[in-house]
């Protein structure tokens, strides 16, 4: 079974903590020990893992990503959103996690983030637990 979650982003560039949704999928799966895959089916959004305690970490990441991949370069892509495509690939579109004793096995300071780079939009992501 694949769990599908919908979310509505509210900014052009934004990190949304989805750790709780991933934990919900693990719980509903009933699987105690295995692997959990989080997959984002978009080309201008991704998923990454980073600090969940200080929100300034996410702000700093967004600030530096916008410097590494500026929006106003001479890109060829007709849609005009090449920076969003590039940032999405830098983050990646899936993450794999360990499930142990029915729990998501991550570090205490780690959060799972859906990373929006071409919002605001209606988005979704999939979670598969095996
Ligand atoms: Zn595009």
């Amino acid at each position: 079974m694949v769990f599908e979650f919908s979310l509505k982003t509210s900014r052009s560039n934004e990190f949304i903590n989805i750790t709780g949704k991933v934990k919900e999928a693990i719980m509903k799966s009933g699987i105690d020990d295995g692997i959990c895959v989080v997959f984002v089916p978009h080309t201008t959004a991704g998923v990454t893992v980073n600090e969940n305690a200080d929100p300034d970490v996410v702000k700093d990441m967004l600030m530096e990503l916008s410097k590494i991949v500026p929006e106003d370069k001479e890109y060829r892509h007709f849609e005009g959103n090449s920076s969003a495509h590039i940032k999405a690939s830098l983050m990646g579109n899936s993450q794999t996690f360990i499930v142990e004793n029915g729990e998501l096995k991550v570090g205490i300071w780690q959060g799972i983030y859906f990373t929006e780079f071409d919002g605001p939009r209606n988005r979704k992501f999939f979670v598969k637990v095996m």
Side-chain angles (χ1 to χ4, degrees), residues 1 5 9-10 14 21 23 28 33-34 44 47-48 50-51 53 67 72 79 81-82 84 89 108 111 125:
M1 173 192 264
F5 294 94
T9 61
S10 55
E14 181 178 19
K21 300 288 184 192
K23 287 180 174 177
K28 284 183 179 169
D33 287 276
T44 54
V47 60
T48 192
N50 218 298
E51 175 160 332
K67 288 183 195 167
D72 56 354
E79 272 191 318
N81 62 351
S82 280
S89 278
I108 191 164
F125 61 94

Side-chain angles (χ1 to χ4, degrees), residues 10-29:
S10 55
R11 296 179 190 168
S12 62
N13 285 249
E14 181 178 19
F15 280 26
I16 296 170
N17 192 327
I18 58 169
T19 313
K21 300 288 184 192
V22 176
K23 287 180 174 177
E24 180 186 321
I26 290 169
M27 189 186 69
K28 284 183 179 169
S29 77

Side-chain angles (χ1 to χ4, degrees), residues 43-44 77-82 85 118 121:
T43 61
T44 54
H77 176 43
F78 72 98
E79 272 191 318
N81 62 351
S82 280
H85 287 290
D118 198 17
R121 286 175 186 249

Side-chain angles (χ1 to χ4, degrees), residues 19-127:
T19 313
K21 300 288 184 192
V22 176
K23 287 180 174 177
E24 180 186 321
I26 290 169
M27 189 186 69
K28 284 183 179 169
S29 77
I31 292 174
D32 285 332
D33 287 276
I35 295 290
C36 171
V37 176
V38 178
F39 185 87
V40 171
H42 303 291
T43 61
T44 54
V47 60
T48 192
V49 176
N50 218 298
E51 175 160 332
N52 60 17
D54 181 0
D56 283 340
V57 171
V58 162
K59 287 179 190 154
D60 288 345
M61 288 182 72
L62 286 169
M63 180 178 74
E64 290 306 305
L65 280 168
S66 70
K67 288 183 195 167
I68 296 165
V69 192
E71 285 183 18
D72 56 354
K73 289 190 98 173
E74 290 166 9
Y75 300 115
R76 299 175 63 123
H77 176 43
F78 72 98
E79 272 191 318
N81 62 351
S82 280
S83 67
H85 287 290
I86 294 164
K87 285 185 254 185
S89 278
L90 287 173
M91 296 296 101
N93 67 346
S94 73
Q95 294 284 337
T96 308
F97 299 95
I98 298 164
V99 176
E100 189 180 66
N101 300 321
E103 304 275 348
L104 179 68
K105 194 174 174 71
V106 290
I108 191 164
W109 305 117
Q110 287 183 314
I112 307 168
Y113 290 94
F114 181 97
T115 61
E116 173 65 84
F117 297 115
D118 198 17
R121 286 175 186 249
N122 291 312
R123 299 292 204 175
K124 61 187 174 183
F125 61 94
F126 304 130
V127 179

